[in-house]
Amino acid sequence: MKKNVAIHKLSITALLMGMCFSFSLIAQDRVTVQASVGSSNVEVNGLGLLDLVDPYIKPVVQYSAGIQYEKYMSRQLAVVTGVSYASRGFGARENFAINAFGLDIPLGASLETRLNYVEVPLMLKYDLTDGGVQPYVMAGVSAGYALNGKITSRIDALISWRLPDIPINLQNDMYNRWDVAGLAGAGVSIPVNEFGALQFQAQYRHSLNDMFLDNITNIRIKSHGISAGIGYSVRF
């Protein structure tokens, strides 16, 4: 009887060890260092203001860099999180000309509003293959907190000069330091050795809350953007 019990316990132990070993082979985590660059723009709403300002609103370059952690729940499905530094905003530009001595002299003025964030994403990632070159899709949300911001202005005439930067007072109630956004992306992971791979990825983000809100005029500004990036991931 004792022998049968011992054999039974040994069998259960062997089964559990086998399951743990199999899961470790399937659910291998990854850490990725990545950077991206793209285009950032905004939506402006409130009291018919869009018709007035929309022709002058221009996209600006957005960029980010950070580290990403992927926890695989199965061979192809992973939960993704991490932390990154991101810079984005929007611009405004107007070009016109003045007539002097019978000549049309072009003039221009531009403003760039830029906020810098620390962000944490939470996404689901699905690999379309279970080995080798792996195309993938991913979707989720991110939460960002604005560290600082500034407004940069430039005048373009016969010569171009940049005016002093104006810091943005993020303590003002009109600015929302928190940015919650929806994310969707796709990419491909290309192995370069036994443990490492290059990742090429494109991603779209759309803010779910306003970055600027004036309750008096009801002017609301919400950001969105698209980016492409590269990263290096290590599997362990």
Side-chain angles (χ1 to χ4, degrees):
M1 181 67 179
K2 291 182 179 180
K3 182 177 180 181
N4 292 336
V5 173
I7 293 176
H8 182 66
K9 290 182 178 180
L10 183 60
S11 300
I12 293 176
T13 301
L15 178 61
L16 291 175
M17 291 179 63
M19 291 175 63
C20 292
F21 180 73
S22 299
F23 184 77
S24 66
L25 290 178
I26 293 174
Q28 292 183 337
D29 302 341
R30 295 178 183 175
V31 172
T32 303
V33 177
Q34 59 181 7
S36 67
V37 65
S39 176
S40 172
N41 211 336
V42 293
E43 298 175 359
V44 182
N45 297 285
L47 297 180
L49 186 70
L50 183 61
D51 294 334
L52 298 176
V53 303
D54 187 60
Y56 308 105
I57 298 296
K58 306 297 180 184
V60 299
V61 174
Q62 68 172 10
Y63 52 87
S64 68
I67 188 168
Q68 180 175 285
Y69 172 66
E70 303 173 21
K71 176 66 177 180
Y72 272 80
M73 312 306 295
S74 69
R75 188 178 292 274
Q76 293 174 254
L77 181 65
V79 175
V80 180
T81 187
V83 63
S84 64
Y85 174 86
S87 180
R88 57 179 175 268
F90 62 95
R93 183 173 182 84
E94 169 67 346
N95 294 311
F96 53 94
I98 61 172
N99 186 278
F101 306 105
L103 299 174
D104 288 330
I105 300 177
L107 296 176
S110 63
L111 292 174
E112 180 181 288
T113 300
R114 181 173 293 276
L115 297 176
N116 303 311
Y117 294 87
V118 58
E119 294 184 318
V120 176
L122 181 61
M123 296 181 287
L124 286 177
K125 175 185 175 185
Y126 183 76
D127 296 329
L128 301 181
T129 62
D130 62 359
V133 176
Q134 293 180 302
Y136 60 85
V137 293
M138 57 198 312
V141 296
S142 70
Y145 183 78
L147 301 174
N148 51 59
K150 64 181 180 180
I151 298 175
T152 302
S153 55
R154 183 182 297 273
I155 303 296
D156 297 311
L158 296 177
I159 60 174
S160 176
W161 67 91
R162 174 174 168 174
L163 302 179
D165 294 340
I166 302 173
I168 295 176
N169 180 16
L170 294 177
Q171 302 300 323
N172 192 313
D173 291 339
M174 291 189 298
Y175 289 97
N176 187 357
R177 300 188 76 147
W178 289 100
D179 180 29
V180 179
L183 306 174
V188 61
S189 178
I190 304 174
V192 294
N193 54 47
E194 184 178 358
F195 299 103
L198 285 176
Q199 286 191 357
F200 299 92
Q201 179 177 298
Q203 181 174 275
Y204 175 76
R205 63 167 299 279
H206 196 105
S207 291
L208 303 177
N209 62 310
D210 299 314
M211 64 180 291
F212 177 91
L213 171 60
D214 187 339
N215 290 315
I216 297 177
T217 61
N218 198 34
I219 297 174
R220 314 170 72 96
I221 298 178
K222 185 177 294 184
S223 70
H224 58 86
I226 189 169
S227 61
I230 185 173
Y232 181 79
S233 63
V234 177
R235 176 168 51 90
F236 61 93

